[in-house]
Amino acid sequence: MTNPTDIDEALGFTLPARHARGRVVRLGPVLDEILDAHAYPPSIEALLAEALTLTALIGSTLKDPSGQLTLQAQTQAGVVTLLVCDYRGGELRGYVQYDADKLAEAPQDPTLFALFGEGYLAITFDLANTNERYQGIVPLDGETLAEAAQSYFVQSEQIPTLINFGVKRGADGRHVAGGLFLQHLPEGEDGRERLHTRLDHPEWEHVAILGATMGADELADRDLPLETLIWRLFNEEDEVRVLARTQLAKGCRCDADYIASVLAKFTPADRAEMADEQGLIQVGCAFCAKSFPVPAGDSVQ
């Protein structure tokens, strides 16, 4: 039976002899909770499921528990105008803005290019402990978001990276998604070339070849524990160090009191103009699709 902790969890590992690190992730109820907040068409739902899996894979590598990883994909003239996901402290959220008319004209199973056209992917790391922010932007080339993210790490971080994921939706409408994230780590510069500048290094070639054998069906199989996935790939390695697990949850930071405090900064005349016929200002959260009605006369100091 599946270990219940293998659902909505990320599990890290290292391959010391190969100077590589990895992470596997499995999403279930968390994915459903986020997707169920929106009535997305199947192709948009699948896109967001992949983006959330990617966000969990990359975000769970943050050492700063209060740090945040934001993944944003955007275009000027594509079906999808904006896709945003973020990760902070094990909490995931995400949403998609899209043009329904353009989607109706797209193929039933649209490619990444059909959805985004000449789009780009931005990955941003906000490190709360040091107040530092790092961002890289790459074109949305390739067939999947995973390929675009791999390009980010190679171009912006100069770290060879392999990302793979799979998403399934059962007959009951419930989702399960799994992902694999592998990287070749720098080894230092004293007296030798930095490993992460060589994409063809034999250590990395070996790890990447093994990682590429893990199929989408295996990654999204809720009956395969995460440690089993790691063992299947690297059971012949001299040493595999399994790291602590990270619990994953749906998280949205919308808050009625905070929204009211922001609105209180506007003048009474401005708030009155924002209000509907009942005197309420309707503030919506794009991530969780909730609406917060705030009386226009409220003032929170």
Side-chain angles (χ1 to χ4, degrees), residues 111-180:
T111 63
L112 197 65
F113 182 79
L115 290 174
F116 287 98
E118 300 293 335
Y120 67 84
L121 176 71
I123 298 179
T124 307
F125 295 90
D126 288 291
L127 308 181
N129 284 347
T130 59
N131 290 320
E132 294 176 288
R133 166 178 276 207
Y134 302 96
Q135 184 182 69
I137 300 175
V138 293
L140 273 168
D141 295 332
E143 296 183 1
T144 65
L145 286 174
E147 291 183 14
Q150 287 173 181
S151 297
Y152 161 82
F153 283 105
V154 172
Q155 296 177 26
S156 299
E157 304 290 336
Q158 297 182 324
I159 300 177
T161 301
L162 174 75
I163 302 173
N164 193 10
F165 45 63
V167 179
K168 289 182 180 178
R169 181 176 184 178
D172 59 357
R174 300 298 85 191
H175 294 83
V176 59
L180 170 69

Side-chain angles (χ1 to χ4, degrees), residues 14-157:
T14 64
L15 307 173
R18 303 288 182 182
H19 302 98
R21 70 172 181 177
R23 190 152 301 251
V24 285
V25 68
R26 179 78 46 67
L27 294 174
V30 166
L31 190 57
D32 284 325
E33 191 176 357
I34 295 172
L35 295 177
D36 286 351
H38 307 272
Y40 290 129
S43 58
I44 300 298
E45 186 177 74
L47 176 69
L48 182 55
E50 292 180 354
L52 288 165
T53 306
L54 179 60
T55 303
L57 281 171
I58 302 174
S60 60
T61 65
L62 287 170
K63 295 180 180 179
D64 179 359
S66 55
Q68 179 171 310
L69 176 282
T70 303
L71 184 150
Q72 179 173 319
Q74 194 166 357
T75 182
Q76 294 294 329
V79 171
V80 175
T81 55
L82 179 65
L83 180 155
V84 181
C85 297
D86 69 33
Y87 171 102
R88 188 173 74 177
E91 294 186 340
L92 290 167
R93 62 179 185 170
Y95 76 97
V96 181
Q97 292 178 356
Y98 67 98
D99 187 316
D101 292 334
K102 289 184 179 179
L103 180 62
E105 298 172 357
Q108 185 174 1
D109 188 17
T111 63
L112 197 65
F113 182 79
L115 290 174
F116 287 98
E118 300 293 335
Y120 67 84
L121 176 71
I123 298 179
T124 307
F125 295 90
D126 288 291
L127 308 181
N129 284 347
T130 59
N131 290 320
E132 294 176 288
R133 166 178 276 207
Y134 302 96
Q135 184 182 69
I137 300 175
V138 293
L140 273 168
D141 295 332
E143 296 183 1
T144 65
L145 286 174
E147 291 183 14
Q150 287 173 181
S151 297
Y152 161 82
F153 283 105
V154 172
Q155 296 177 26
S156 299
E157 304 290 336

Side-chain angles (χ1 to χ4, degrees), residues 197-297:
T197 63
R198 288 191 53 192
L199 302 184
D200 62 344
H201 193 284
E203 285 181 351
W204 172 244
E205 284 186 345
H206 175 81
V207 172
I209 289 171
L210 291 178
T213 65
M214 181 62 68
D217 287 343
E218 291 174 283
L219 290 168
D221 186 344
R222 66 172 66 246
D223 293 324
L224 283 178
L226 297 179
E227 287 191 6
T228 299
L229 294 179
I230 299 170
W231 180 86
R232 284 188 176 185
L233 290 175
F234 303 114
N235 62 86
E236 295 185 0
E237 296 300 309
D238 293 335
E239 182 182 11
V240 180
R241 297 177 185 171
V242 177
L243 309 177
R245 294 172 180 266
T246 301
Q247 301 290 330
L248 302 172
K250 174 184 178 288
C252 198
R253 296 183 284 280
C254 58
D255 178 86
D257 291 338
Y258 173 75
I259 291 170
S261 70
V262 172
L263 290 174
K265 297 176 183 179
F266 291 87
T267 66
D270 287 337
R271 293 199 299 271
E273 188 174 340
M274 298 177 197
D276 59 20
E277 295 178 355
Q278 286 74 44
L280 299 174
I281 302 172
Q282 301 288 344
V283 181
C285 174
F287 286 101
C288 65
K290 291 180 180 178
S291 180
F292 296 86
V294 180

